[in-house]
Amino acid sequence: MKAPGRSCFWMWLPLLQLLASGAEREGPAGPAVDLPRGRGAAEPRRRPWVLDGCRRLSGLLRQKAAVLNKLEAAIRAVERDASLSDQEKLFRVHTLEIFQKELNESENSVFQAVRGLQRALQGDYRDVASVKASSRQRLEALREAAIKEETEYVELLAAEKHQVEALKNLQHRNKSLSMLDEILEDVRRAADRLELEIEEHAFDDNKSVKGVNFEAVLRVEEEEADLQQNLSRREVEEDLGLSMLIDSQNNQYILTRPRDATIPRADHHLIKDIVSIVMLSLPCGWLCTTIGLPTMFGYIICGVLLGPSGLNSIKSIVQVETLGEFGVFFTLFLVGLEFSPEKLRKVWKISLQGPCYMTLLMVAFGLAWGHLLQIRPAQSVFISACLSLSSTPLVSKFLAGSARSDKEGDIDYGALLLGMLVTQDVQLGLFIAVLPTLIQAGAGAHASVAMEALRLLALVSQVLFSLAAVLLVCLLVRTYLVGPYCRKLHAESKGNKEILVLGISAFTFLMLTVTELLDVSMELGCFLAGALVSSQGHAVAEEVMSYVEPVRDFLAIIFFASIGLHVFPTFVLYELTVLLVLTLSVVAMKFVLAALVLSLLLPKTSQYVKWIVAAGLAQVSEFALVLGSRARRARVISREVYLLILSVTTLSLLLAPLLWRAAVARCAPRPERRSSL
């Protein structure tokens, strides 16, 4: 076998001589660094030291060449040894090749360091970009070296395992095995085959994929008070892979799929986080109920206390937020379950036109203010679109259990509110679809305004086509599927209520998946699932609600607590005056625009409804946080704008109950006031 690094010494000898001669001169050749020398400046390195270093390096390289020759001779001797089996020959040759690779990589590391020193001496220390590029090259070289060393370490582990297995096989040949030993040996072979079958080589399969970067990470273990407990816990976590990884950007990672999938594992960080949220949500919810606020604000306060701005005890923030999304799904399902298509028929035109007019007016005002404040148009459009949305879960809490007028000719403000919020959910899907265009527009990637308008028109057409497809799917499901499905669930759930909960959850997730595949928001699919179930009659809706509502309540606690994780009281205190002015301005603008639009759309006999509906739409939806986080990652908005959107959204949600109570007490008919309040 030919050693690839054996002739490297003769190739690098002139470079070593050049460096030795260059080190004797006071100043290096080329645009080298010429720094002023102070009192503590080091003396120039003497010629004997340089020559001695070169001699040592050349001696090491000669020893390495001699060792490579011996390794090649050993490999040939193993290949000629007839007493060894083919598998044993392969193992021994592989072990020798690993050692050869270690020698060659060590030599390459030495000369890479020499090349790096040469580039640094020839660089310009005044050019920050040049220094940054040089640092980047060294970082990439270190990452590649780390990957090679990791691969070699894995190969050594495999060789060690093979050696142990070979020793066991030799011992088994020398003694007679009992029946139990034979059974255990068969089980061991079956377990080895199972591990090979289920093991995914994710690292090797993805490290050469385009766009994959190698990064250094820190592995953090849990600290225990007792040293012995700490060591035992660390050994267990090292075996199970439950420690936390932190990259250079301070992103924290936990295990998602272990290498050995035969051992069950649990994320103890997530368990502790959920337990903490549930335990603290109880006193916070009681406190808000005592002072007359909805319990959801107690859950938000719980998230604030446990989040980064409080005790900072929540470790699995992303996992908590993901679990909280299911609270949104079931909340919107119950909103759809309470939604009456008969009542919607009376207000469908207003429900469709009102939010569209409000959004257009908000965007127009946003562009006008953006022009005065010299804000980019893409950023102005995005901020206005975010602030135009209203909170469906919050309004559904307001409407829960309230008795509303059913007089002939009157418009039910609850049905009108829900209809307008459904339209805003559709707009949410449209905003998410248009967000890439806003990103490109903000970057100035398009050649002309006409091309930008055509691309935006194509996106809008695509979303409208998706909505038409969703409507067609809903008609087919209602005609052929939902009726027999609900009857089957009702028949199977007698004495076995979990079948009903499981069946309704599966149907909700089916509609969620359909709307997601059609590029419409998943939240709209959950609402449509509830509306389809409610179309089967009041009795079916009541039965389903009685079993799904507890699930929704528990998941809603997680959702509102996850919102509190992104509320920063210190930032609010620092900018309290600015945030109060912005929040009151946004709430007042949304209230006035909603009342103005509804005054043009509502009949004269139902004009009082506009004040109640405007009060329900005056806050900013929690989905503005979702849109804001996506835009922040895509650099459509800056960090400061994102924090402003987050704070204004939270403060508007806190003001919403007060505005709702005032509007209902002032404008609702007398029979409806007490139940609505």
Side-chain angles (χ1 to χ4, degrees):
M1 176 177 292
K2 183 179 180 181
R6 188 169 62 180
S7 60
C8 289
F9 168 72
W10 306 109
M11 297 169 57
W12 285 97
L13 186 58
L15 179 60
L16 292 174
Q17 294 174 350
L18 178 61
L19 289 176
S21 61
E24 299 173 13
R25 296 191 294 268
E26 293 183 0
V33 179
D34 187 13
L35 295 176
R37 297 188 179 184
R39 293 181 179 178
E43 291 293 331
R45 299 187 177 185
R46 300 300 180 184
R47 180 176 179 179
W49 186 92
V50 176
L51 294 179
D52 183 61
C54 291
R55 280 195 296 268
R56 289 184 180 180
L57 180 59
S58 61
L60 288 175
L61 293 176
R62 283 193 295 269
Q63 291 180 13
K64 178 250 182 182
V67 171
L68 285 179
N69 291 329
K70 293 181 179 179
L71 288 174
E72 291 179 0
I75 290 174
R76 289 193 295 269
V78 169
E79 292 175 347
R80 290 194 300 265
D81 193 349
S83 62
L84 298 176
S85 63
D86 293 338
Q87 187 176 7
E88 188 66 23
K89 287 182 180 180
L90 182 62
F91 165 69
R92 293 192 179 185
V93 169
H94 182 61
T95 304
L96 295 174
E97 289 177 347
I98 291 176
F99 187 57
Q100 281 184 332
K101 187 186 299 183
E102 173 69 19
L103 294 175
N104 293 328
E105 291 297 333
S106 300
E107 180 185 7
N108 291 334
S109 299
V110 172
F111 291 113
Q112 284 177 2
V114 172
R115 281 198 299 266
L117 177 60
Q118 187 180 25
R119 285 195 303 267
L121 291 174
Q122 293 176 350
D124 186 2
Y125 73 96
R126 299 180 184 88
D127 187 2
V128 179
S130 176
V131 177
K132 179 181 176 182
S134 178
S135 176
R136 182 69 180 177
Q137 290 178 358
R138 290 196 302 271
L139 182 60
E140 293 296 334
L142 287 174
R143 287 171 176 171
E144 293 179 2
I147 295 301
K148 291 179 180 178
E149 195 66 30
E150 184 75 21
T151 304
E152 183 176 342
Y153 180 73
V154 172
E155 291 179 354
L156 288 173
L157 289 179
E160 183 182 17
K161 181 179 178 181
H162 182 87
Q163 188 175 11
V164 172
E165 293 296 331
L167 181 61
K168 287 183 178 180
N169 292 332
L170 182 61
Q171 292 176 352
H172 290 162
R173 292 195 201 101
N174 296 332
K175 68 176 183 178
S176 59
L177 296 178
S178 64
M179 182 178 298
L180 179 59
D181 292 333
E182 292 180 356
I183 293 175
L184 292 177
E185 183 66 18
D186 292 338
V187 172
R188 184 188 62 79
R189 295 194 187 96
D192 292 339
R193 288 196 299 269
L194 177 62
E195 287 185 357
L196 292 176
E197 290 173 359
I198 65 176
E199 184 178 4
E200 290 187 0
H201 300 279
F203 186 86
D204 296 331
D205 295 340
N206 292 300
K207 67 181 181 181
S208 60
V209 176
K210 184 178 181 181
V212 173
N213 296 321
F214 299 120
E215 293 189 4
V217 296
L218 300 177
R219 180 168 179 169
V220 181
E221 306 287 352
E222 290 287 334
E223 293 186 0
E224 300 289 341
D226 186 27
L227 181 60
Q228 186 64 31
Q229 292 180 357
N230 188 19
L231 290 176
S232 61
R233 178 66 173 270
R234 183 174 303 170
E235 290 174 358
V236 173
E237 289 193 346
E238 184 176 1
D239 184 45
L240 298 183
L242 298 179
S243 53
M244 184 178 296
L245 301 180
I246 305 175
D247 66 3
S248 58
Q249 302 298 323
N250 291 323
N251 297 310
Q252 300 180 9
Y253 304 89
I254 61 172
L255 182 68
T256 58
R257 179 184 174 87
R259 181 186 64 85
D260 187 2
T262 60
I263 303 176
R265 291 167 173 84
D267 184 2
H268 63 277
H269 293 298
L270 180 60
I271 294 174
K272 292 180 180 179
D273 294 342
I274 299 300
V275 170
S276 302
I277 289 173
V278 173
M279 292 179 63
L280 189 58
S281 294
L282 180 61
C284 293
W286 275 346
L287 178 62
C288 289
T289 303
T290 303
I291 62 179
L293 288 175
T295 55
M296 59 168 286
F297 292 109
Y299 308 149
I300 294 176
I301 293 173
C302 170
V304 174
L305 295 176
L306 295 176
S309 58
L311 300 175
N312 197 22
S313 62
I314 302 297
K315 303 299 181 183
S316 304
I317 294 181
V318 176
Q319 286 71 29
V320 170
E321 292 175 347
T322 304
L323 185 60
E325 286 298 312
F326 287 91
V328 178
F329 297 156
F330 282 99
T331 297
L332 292 176
F333 171 79
L334 290 182
V335 169
L337 200 62
E338 295 176 346
F339 191 69
S340 174
E342 289 75 16
K343 294 181 180 180
L344 180 61
R345 292 192 185 98
K346 299 170 59 177
V347 297
W348 72 272
K349 290 185 179 180
I350 303 175
S351 300
L352 184 63
Q353 296 175 5
C356 295
Y357 292 153
M358 289 178 58
T359 302
L360 291 176
L361 290 174
M362 286 287 292
V363 171
F365 277 105
L367 288 174
W369 280 104
H371 180 71
L372 293 176
L373 300 176
Q374 297 181 351
I375 301 176
R376 292 178 299 163
Q379 196 174 62
S380 300
V381 170
F382 176 80
I383 295 173
S384 304
C386 276
L387 298 180
S388 67
L389 299 174
S390 301
S391 175
T392 301
L394 180 63
V395 175
S396 65
K397 288 280 188 181
F398 292 159
L399 297 176
S402 60
R404 295 178 287 277
S405 175
D406 289 329
K407 292 182 180 180
E408 188 68 26
D410 281 355
I411 291 180
D412 183 4
Y413 63 82
L416 180 58
L417 257 176
L418 291 178
M420 296 181 72
L421 290 171
V422 169
T423 304
Q424 288 190 351
D425 289 336
V426 175
Q427 290 178 346
L428 175 65
L430 180 63
F431 295 157
I432 294 176
V434 174
L435 187 59
T437 300
L438 291 177
I439 296 172
Q440 296 174 359
H446 302 300
S448 64
V449 178
M451 291 297 297
E452 172 67 16
L454 289 176
R455 184 173 282 103
L456 185 60
L457 182 61
L459 282 172
V460 173
S461 302
Q462 180 182 355
V463 172
L464 293 177
F465 176 78
S466 299
L467 292 176
V470 169
L471 180 60
L472 179 60
V473 170
C474 289
L475 291 176
L476 294 175
V477 170
R478 183 182 180 184
T479 304
Y480 299 105
L481 178 62
V482 68
Y485 184 73
C486 289
R487 288 192 293 271
K488 181 68 174 177
L489 282 180
H490 179 74
E492 294 291 337
S493 62
K494 292 181 179 179
N496 192 10
K497 300 303 181 182
E498 60 267 21
I499 294 296
L500 180 62
V501 176
L502 181 60
I504 293 300
S505 301
F507 181 69
T508 303
F509 296 153
L510 173 64
M511 294 301 299
L512 178 151
T513 305
V514 169
T515 53
E516 184 186 19
L517 292 176
L518 293 175
D519 292 330
V520 186
S521 65
M522 295 185 292
E523 291 78 13
L524 181 60
C526 299
F527 176 85
L528 292 175
L532 289 172
V533 173
S534 68
S535 66
Q536 301 304 305
H538 181 72
V540 175
E542 288 293 329
E543 183 183 14
V544 171
M545 182 176 297
S546 64
Y547 291 106
V548 176
E549 198 168 19
V551 180
R552 187 279 310 267
D553 291 338
F554 177 78
L555 294 174
I557 294 173
I558 309 299
F559 170 69
F560 288 114
S562 67
I563 292 180
L565 298 177
H566 300 283
V567 177
F568 305 98
T570 53
F571 177 77
V572 175
L573 292 177
Y574 292 154
E575 302 294 337
L576 183 60
T577 304
V578 175
L579 293 175
L580 286 178
V581 171
L582 288 176
T583 303
L584 293 176
S585 301
V586 170
V587 170
M589 180 179 294
K590 294 191 69 175
F591 183 85
V592 171
L593 289 180
L596 178 63
V597 169
L598 290 174
S599 64
L600 299 176
L601 298 177
L602 286 171
K604 293 182 179 180
T605 57
S606 301
Q607 282 294 315
Y608 74 93
V609 173
K610 67 183 179 183
W611 305 112
I612 304 176
V613 176
L617 297 175
Q619 26 70 31
V620 182
S621 173
E622 66 279 351
F623 289 114
L625 306 180
V626 179
L627 288 173
S629 63
R630 293 190 181 186
R632 173 74 180 93
R633 290 194 298 267
R635 302 185 185 277
V636 175
I637 59 176
S638 62
R639 178 192 60 179
E640 293 77 12
V641 173
Y642 171 69
L643 289 175
L644 289 175
I645 291 177
L646 189 150
S647 302
V648 169
T649 300
T650 305
L651 292 177
S652 69
L653 291 173
L654 291 174
L655 292 176
L658 302 177
L659 186 59
W660 174 261
R661 292 188 176 195
V664 171
R666 184 71 178 238
C667 304
R670 288 185 180 273
E672 305 178 26
R673 292 182 184 178
R674 180 171 299 179
S675 62
S676 297
L677 293 176

